[in-house]
């Protein structure tokens, strides 16, 4: 028998659903609603399990609590192979899932896109549910606030500014590098460059561009759009992508792959501050080792909360201006609180962040 693990925080509800006509099979795990309605994306993969969904729902409980949002944690999964079904079949499955979610959505659960789900899928989901509050990540014509506006990268930028202040550095004088030049990396690099920080390294799947005297952001964006890779910039040196972890910079921003920095790599790291824009760029153990070496690491769920904050603004019917305002306010406040707590108690920022999230969830009960 399949069982998920329960503890004092949750999960509160595990619902498995099936529809014979479309072949839809899925589940939702509502982990904890102490702070508000359960929030979390729908993942569609052939291998998704209720256990995986439960773990992701718990991660959402901490993420929303730490972001300071009136949202609880939840997640859902649909077992289907996106590559093996037609668009019509996919629509049938998503609509059947939405109908099956009606007893809990939007009253106890608010959905969003996750793997193999995007705006159009959220359109089907919201239409079938009948309420615009049933999910976020909707198309703009339904009141959606697209991630392309850069909410996450904007938040990562603010986390970097607060971390630099905390370390006693003037952000206009720091050097920085960005791993990954996609949605998160581009906006983080843009706002930091505009603030006057010097971009000296940037990578994408093709490699790493290193230029000690600084990379011009506007030129870099143009090169990436026209030539497909940051490595085509035309000056500076091109290195292997993984060399970004040993660049001598003040701030390293991760914005691409998981497990970028492994346990055995900690000796190579020269950055004084690492801001985790990507999810799990290193294990908690590696973070702890870096912390002991004196590297200030802003954990992923603190630094990259801009996306979920943007979802909240969409949920309450706000505008893109509201979104930028709230991302700035929340990410700055939360990063500051986490770093100050960590310093005061001599713990790593991740330990401090977990403590804050747990306290908020327990207090909300
Ligand atoms: P994206 O697909 O827009 O961009 C990813 C970038 O990483 C691309 O430039 C790609 O070329 C580059 N890349 C791929 N492999 C690489 C490698 N080995 N080395 C260096 N660069 C490599 O993705 P994104 O939306 O920017 O997300 C990046 C990370 O941030 C992911 O871990 C994601 O889970 C996390 N994240 C994203 C959001 C969001 O709102 N987009 C929110 C929270 C967390």
């Amino acid at each position: 028998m399949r069982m998920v693990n329960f503890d004092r925080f949750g999960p509160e509800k595990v619902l498995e659903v099936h529809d014979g006509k479309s072949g839809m099979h899925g589940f939702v795990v509502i982990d904890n609603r102490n702070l508000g309605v359960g929030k979390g994306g729908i993942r569609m993969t052939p291998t998704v399990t209720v256990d995986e969904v439960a773990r992701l729902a718990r991660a959402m409980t901490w993420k929303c609590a730490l972001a300071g949002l009136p949202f609880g944690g939840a997640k859902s999964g649909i077992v289907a192979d996106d590559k093996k079904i037609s668009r019509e079949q996919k629509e049938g499955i998503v609509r059947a899932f939405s109908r099956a979610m009606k007893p809990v959505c939007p009253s106890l659960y608010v959905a969003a896109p996750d793997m193999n789900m995007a705006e159009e899928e959220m359109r089907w989901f919201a239409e079938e549910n009948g309420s615009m509050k049933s999910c976020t990540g909707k198309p703009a014509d339904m009141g959606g606030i697209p991630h392309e506006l850069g909410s996450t990268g904007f938040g990562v930028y603010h986390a970097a500014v607060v971390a630099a202040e905390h370390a006693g550095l003037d952000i206009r004088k720091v050097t920085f590098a960005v791993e990954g030049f996609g949605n998160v990396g581009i906006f983080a690099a843009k706002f930091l460059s505009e603030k006057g920080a010097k971009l000296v390294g940037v990578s994408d799947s093709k490699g790493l561009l290193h230029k000690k005297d600084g990379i011009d952001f506007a030129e870099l964006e143009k090169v990436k759009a026209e030539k497909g890779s940051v490595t085509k910039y035309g000056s500076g040196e091109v290195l292997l992508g993984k060399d970004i972890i040993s660049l001598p910079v003040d701030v390293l921003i991760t914005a691409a792959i998981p497990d970028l920095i492994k346990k055995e790599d900690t000796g190579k790291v020269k950055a004084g501050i690492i801001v985790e824009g990507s999810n799990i760029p290193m294990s908690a153990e590696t973070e702890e080792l870096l912390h002991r070496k004196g590297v200030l690491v802003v954990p992923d769920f603190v630094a990259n909360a801009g996306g979920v904050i943007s979802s909240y603004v969409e949920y309450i019917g706000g505008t893109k201006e509201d979104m930028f305002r709230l991302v700035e306010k929340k990410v700055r406040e939360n990063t500051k609180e986490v770093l100050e707590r960590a310093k005061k108690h001599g713990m790593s920022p991740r330990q401090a962040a977990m403590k804050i999230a747990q306290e908020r969830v327990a207090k909300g009960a």
Side-chain angles (χ1 to χ4, degrees):
M1 194 171 116
R2 281 175 308 181
M3 278 286 280
V4 300
N5 292 324
F6 292 84
D7 63 19
R8 71 190 172 102
F9 293 106
E12 167 191 324
K13 251 185 201 32
V14 180
L15 180 65
E16 184 159 7
V17 293
H18 183 249
D19 173 60
K21 191 158 172 264
S22 62
M24 179 277 290
H25 175 207
F27 12 78
V28 60
V29 176
I30 299 171
D31 185 54
N32 185 296
R33 286 185 304 120
N34 289 1
L35 297 173
V37 62
K39 183 80 183 75
I42 308 171
R43 168 168 296 196
M44 179 186 276
T45 65
T47 52
V48 65
T49 64
V50 70
D51 198 51
E52 175 185 339
V53 170
R55 279 184 281 122
L56 293 163
R58 176 57 53 87
M60 284 304 290
T61 298
W62 303 141
K63 187 166 191 164
C64 293
L66 196 81
L69 297 172
F71 273 154
K75 197 87 182 183
S76 47
I78 300 178
V79 190
D81 191 340
D82 182 61
K83 292 184 188 62
K84 291 195 181 143
I85 54 175
S86 65
R87 241 1 237 169
E88 291 70 34
Q89 281 171 310
K90 189 173 187 181
E91 181 170 349
I93 289 171
V94 172
R95 287 188 183 273
F97 187 70
S98 176
R99 286 193 299 277
M101 286 298 110
K102 276 197 177 188
V104 294
C105 176
S107 54
L108 312 178
Y109 169 58
V110 179
D114 192 73
M115 286 164 80
N116 296 316
M117 290 279 155
E119 283 185 5
E120 215 40 38
E121 284 77 3
M122 293 304 105
R123 180 192 299 285
W124 302 331
F125 189 92
E127 272 177 8
E128 204 63 31
N129 179 281
S131 168
M132 289 303 130
K133 287 214 178 304
S134 60
C135 63
T136 60
K138 299 182 293 293
D141 64 41
M142 289 180 117
I145 301 182
H147 284 314
E148 288 69 34
L149 291 170
S151 53
T152 304
F154 184 63
V156 169
Y157 150 70
H158 281 293
V161 171
V162 172
E165 275 166 12
H166 183 85
L169 300 175
D170 178 349
I171 195 71
R172 290 164 305 177
K173 298 200 178 115
V174 306
T175 58
F176 74 105
V178 179
E179 178 241 359
F181 204 60
N183 184 269
V184 177
I186 288 175
F187 285 100
K190 175 182 190 289
F191 293 116
L192 275 167
S193 296
E194 282 173 6
K195 191 84 183 169
K198 194 201 277 184
L199 176 64
V200 295
V202 60
S203 67
D204 62 18
S205 58
K206 308 274 166 38
L208 165 66
L209 167 71
H210 179 218
K211 194 166 183 288
K212 279 192 199 130
D213 57 353
I215 299 162
D216 180 70
F217 177 79
E219 181 61 24
L220 179 70
E221 205 180 19
K222 197 161 148 250
V223 168
K224 175 78 179 172
E226 286 171 5
K227 301 188 178 160
S229 172
V230 296
T231 58
K232 303 273 168 62
Y233 188 73
S235 58
E237 49 177 350
V238 174
L239 306 168
L240 290 174
K242 65 177 170 47
D243 292 340
I244 196 158
I245 65 175
S246 46
L247 285 190
V249 288
D250 298 311
V251 181
L252 170 63
I253 295 194
T254 71
I257 58 167
D259 291 318
L260 171 73
I261 304 175
K262 313 231 168 30
K263 207 171 135 189
E264 58 275 16
D265 294 331
T266 52
K268 296 183 201 156
V269 173
K270 297 196 191 75
I273 297 171
I274 299 178
V275 182
E276 298 184 343
S278 51
N279 286 319
I280 40 171
M282 65 185 95
S283 66
E285 191 188 357
T286 304
E287 264 179 31
E288 193 63 41
L289 289 171
L290 286 172
H291 168 67
R292 282 191 219 137
K293 265 189 61 180
V295 181
L296 188 65
V297 183
V298 184
D300 46 10
F301 73 128
V302 180
N304 71 24
V308 74
I309 297 168
S310 168
S311 302
Y312 171 69
V313 174
E314 177 177 334
Y315 178 71
I316 58 171
T319 61
K320 81 175 202 225
E321 289 74 26
D322 298 331
M323 179 276 281
F324 281 115
R325 256 195 308 273
L326 200 68
V327 169
E328 173 170 353
K329 180 176 184 305
K330 296 266 183 210
V331 173
R332 288 190 78 99
E333 279 172 7
N334 294 324
T335 306
K336 200 159 185 278
E337 187 173 344
V338 165
L339 298 183
E340 281 173 2
R341 172 86 70 105
K343 190 173 177 186
K344 188 165 169 209
H345 298 286
M347 51 173 81
S348 70
R350 181 167 296 270
Q351 283 175 327
M354 274 308 292
K355 273 204 169 322
I356 293 168
Q358 288 186 357
E359 281 167 16
R360 289 181 184 171
V361 172
K363 217 169 136 194

